[in-house]
Amino acid sequence: MKARWRALWPRALSLRLALMFALASVVLLGALGLYLYQSLEREIAWRDDAALLGRVERMRALIGDGDSIEALRRRPQLYANMLGSQGDLLWVLDGAGRPLIEINPARLPVPALPPGPGVQLQDGAGAGEPSRLAWLQVRQDGRALTLIAGKLLAERSQMLAAYRLKLWLALGAGALLAFLLGWAVSQRGLRPVRTLAARAAAIDVQHLHLRLDAAQQVSELRQLSGALNQMLARLEDGFGRLSRFSEDLAHEMRTPLNNLMGQTQLALQKNRTAEDYQALLASSQEEYERLARMIDNMLFLARAERPDAVLHREPIALHEAVAQLCDYFEGMAEERGIVLLNEASGTLAADPQLLRRALANLLANALRYGSADSPVRIASQRHSGRVDISVTNQGEPIASEHLPRLFDRFYRCDPSRAQPGDSGGLGLAIVRSIMQLHGGAVRVESSAAGTCFTLSFPVSD
């Protein structure tokens, strides 16, 4: 039912505003018209009742001042003047209920009335004609008389029906006028929205640096303008990153491809010995492996950034997991005289494979850029709501201008220091993607005392 109602509800905001304005006006005008109608109905009823009671009292005065009922019957003009229209009724009944005086244009039967003292009112009906009656029981010359004044309600009903028709017509006209006025007001009021939409539509890929002027907007649209400007800033940053990524990717792939083509062209210039061809194949194998690692890392990043990426969290003993990585990198560490210090402890719920890959990338960087004959420390610390795992090495500090872009793809502080076995500038980008998958973050601090990378995993206390 709700879906059907939503389908019937207009999509245009201006039309919605006009309909709601018309609906509010109908409710307001309807309530006002109902109040006026009921007030008029009560006022007419009160006036009719007052007129009926006045007629009964005047008839009693005439009977009290006259000689007899017979004299009044011979002088009908005395009481006929009290009646104003064809809908007015008058009876004077004797004790047996026979009419002595009767003014009854509608030829209604004599109403049956309950006995009671004083003047009384009641609704009556006869021959299908609704009426309102007032009566009084008096005595004259020792006999009981009943004075009845009545009024047919047909005239009142016709007047009220005409008034209701006018109210309905006024309500319809008011609703139509309110709709048209609401449409015009909404069109005028939504003009800043259309202006904002036109300005936003004018910003294309080549002009992402442009921003909407929130200061010139109405107060209700300043928040929207600010949100659109923030979105444009993110888009500009995203397009910039994509452009730099394309350039870096082309540069990274061009180097091994140029090496392969140059070596092959050089080998084809003249006949070579078997040893030369073996050396060429070995060198080509290194370039192929470099390309394979780059493609594997890019594929991992693409999968990690998918919204439907799934983590397989398991409780991991950090000391044992770090010990396995230290055993793996032991040979590389011994070549440079670096000591791996495992100071991790406790457990962490994370994806084991991804955690090992993130720590392996950090350890590889620490061993590659750390000073020879120095320690590399892997430690863990539990805080309120998170677990931090840090990898610290001693060596030349990273300049502060490089720190904000250190986790960008293909970014290197010194491209000339690229080594054959490195990750092609994607290692730290992979670490950041792994931490984003876990809902955590990675940060780096570098000074003369050393460089420290910290993985911060959120945990529930």
Side-chain angles (χ1 to χ4, degrees):
M1 187 65 183
K2 291 182 179 180
R4 184 177 180 183
W5 174 252
R6 292 193 189 99
L8 295 176
W9 192 243
R11 297 293 182 182
L13 182 58
S14 57
L15 186 57
R16 288 188 181 186
L17 292 174
L19 287 176
M20 288 188 289
F21 191 70
L23 180 60
S25 300
V26 166
V27 173
L28 179 61
L29 293 176
L32 181 60
L34 179 62
Y35 170 75
L36 294 176
Y37 176 80
Q38 291 180 344
S39 299
L40 177 63
E41 188 178 28
R42 287 193 296 267
E43 181 67 20
I44 293 175
W46 180 82
R47 290 177 178 271
D48 288 345
D49 289 347
L52 291 176
L53 293 175
R55 290 169 190 170
V56 170
E57 291 293 339
R58 286 194 292 272
M59 282 299 299
R60 181 172 65 173
L62 285 174
I63 292 174
D65 295 339
D67 296 332
S68 65
I69 291 297
E70 287 73 14
L72 290 176
R73 295 176 67 180
R74 290 192 298 269
R75 300 167 62 188
Q77 192 64 31
L78 290 175
Y79 48 82
N81 290 336
M82 297 186 302
L83 306 179
S85 65
Q86 292 294 320
D88 292 325
L89 308 172
L90 180 65
W91 288 278
V92 178
L93 307 179
D94 60 12
R98 295 186 297 271
L100 301 177
I101 296 175
E102 180 178 12
I103 298 178
N104 186 7
R107 303 297 180 184
L108 298 180
V110 177
L113 302 173
V119 182
Q120 300 185 52
L121 290 165
Q122 78 167 20
D123 293 325
E129 291 286 346
S131 61
R132 182 73 169 166
L133 303 175
W135 74 93
L136 175 65
Q137 294 178 348
V138 300
R139 297 188 70 84
Q140 187 194 45
D141 298 334
R143 62 176 176 174
L145 298 175
T146 302
L147 309 179
I148 304 174
K151 184 176 182 61
L152 295 177
L153 300 181
E155 183 180 355
R156 183 201 299 182
S157 300
Q158 291 175 0
M159 183 178 63
L160 291 175
Y163 188 73
R164 285 197 303 270
L165 178 60
K166 292 179 181 178
L167 283 179
W168 282 114
L169 292 176
L171 184 63
L176 179 60
L177 182 61
F179 176 79
L180 296 177
L181 182 61
W183 174 269
V185 170
S186 63
Q187 289 291 321
R188 174 71 178 178
L190 292 176
R191 184 179 299 175
V193 178
R194 293 191 292 271
T195 303
L196 179 63
R199 291 176 180 175
I203 302 176
D204 53 15
V205 178
Q206 286 76 26
H207 301 87
L208 287 177
H209 62 282
L210 298 178
R211 296 294 181 266
L212 302 173
D213 189 359
Q216 295 183 357
Q217 302 295 334
V218 295
S219 57
E220 290 79 4
L221 294 180
R222 288 176 184 172
Q223 184 177 1
L224 177 60
S225 299
L228 289 175
N229 285 334
Q230 293 176 4
M231 182 187 69
L232 289 172
R234 292 192 297 268
L235 286 174
E236 182 182 16
D237 180 69
F239 271 92
R241 289 176 180 270
L242 182 60
S243 178
R244 290 192 299 271
F245 171 75
S246 300
E247 294 175 0
D248 293 339
L249 177 61
H251 175 74
E252 293 293 333
M253 297 191 70
R254 181 180 60 183
T255 300
L257 289 175
N258 286 341
N259 292 339
L260 288 172
M261 288 188 297
Q263 293 172 359
T264 304
Q265 292 172 355
L266 183 62
L268 291 176
Q269 289 180 358
K270 61 179 181 179
N271 293 331
R272 304 288 180 177
T273 62
E275 291 78 8
D276 293 337
Y277 286 120
Q278 288 179 353
L280 174 63
L281 292 176
S283 177
S284 299
Q285 177 66 23
E286 291 181 359
E287 300 297 338
Y288 290 138
E289 290 177 353
R290 181 179 177 183
L291 286 172
R293 284 194 304 271
M294 186 184 306
I295 294 173
D296 179 68
N297 290 335
M298 291 173 57
L299 182 61
F300 175 84
L301 287 172
R303 291 174 176 174
E305 292 179 356
R306 290 175 54 182
D308 57 348
V310 179
L311 287 179
H312 301 283
R313 294 180 183 268
E314 298 177 8
I316 302 173
L318 294 179
H319 187 81
E320 287 75 6
V322 173
Q324 294 177 1
L325 290 172
C326 290
D327 291 341
Y328 179 79
F329 286 100
E330 183 178 4
M332 183 177 177
E334 289 180 351
E335 290 179 0
R336 306 197 61 211
I338 294 177
V339 179
L340 300 176
L341 302 178
N342 183 2
E343 298 177 0
S345 61
T347 60
L348 173 66
D351 189 301
Q353 182 178 357
L354 296 182
L355 176 62
R356 283 194 295 268
R357 184 160 190 172
L359 289 175
N361 287 350
L362 294 181
L363 280 173
N365 275 355
L367 294 174
R368 184 175 298 115
Y369 300 109
S371 299
D373 302 320
S374 65
V376 171
R377 181 175 289 102
I378 307 100
S380 64
Q381 189 174 5
R382 189 179 186 91
H383 302 276
S384 177
R386 74 178 195 273
V387 171
D388 291 345
I389 304 175
S390 61
V391 178
T392 306
N393 68 277
Q394 298 177 3
E396 183 180 349
I398 302 174
S400 58
E401 64 268 16
H402 297 303
L403 294 179
R405 297 191 57 194
L406 204 58
F407 297 95
D408 291 349
R409 299 177 182 182
F410 299 115
Y411 184 78
R412 290 189 178 93
C413 298
D414 185 3
S416 63
R417 296 180 62 185
Q419 301 179 15
D422 65 9
S423 59
L426 295 174
L428 294 180
I430 290 175
V431 173
R432 182 176 61 179
S433 295
I434 291 174
M435 295 309 300
Q436 290 175 346
L437 278 176
H438 285 83
V442 56
R443 62 182 184 272
V444 58
E445 299 173 354
S446 186
S447 64
T451 300
C452 178
F453 286 86
T454 303
L455 307 179
S456 184
F457 291 87
V459 294
S460 55
D461 293 332

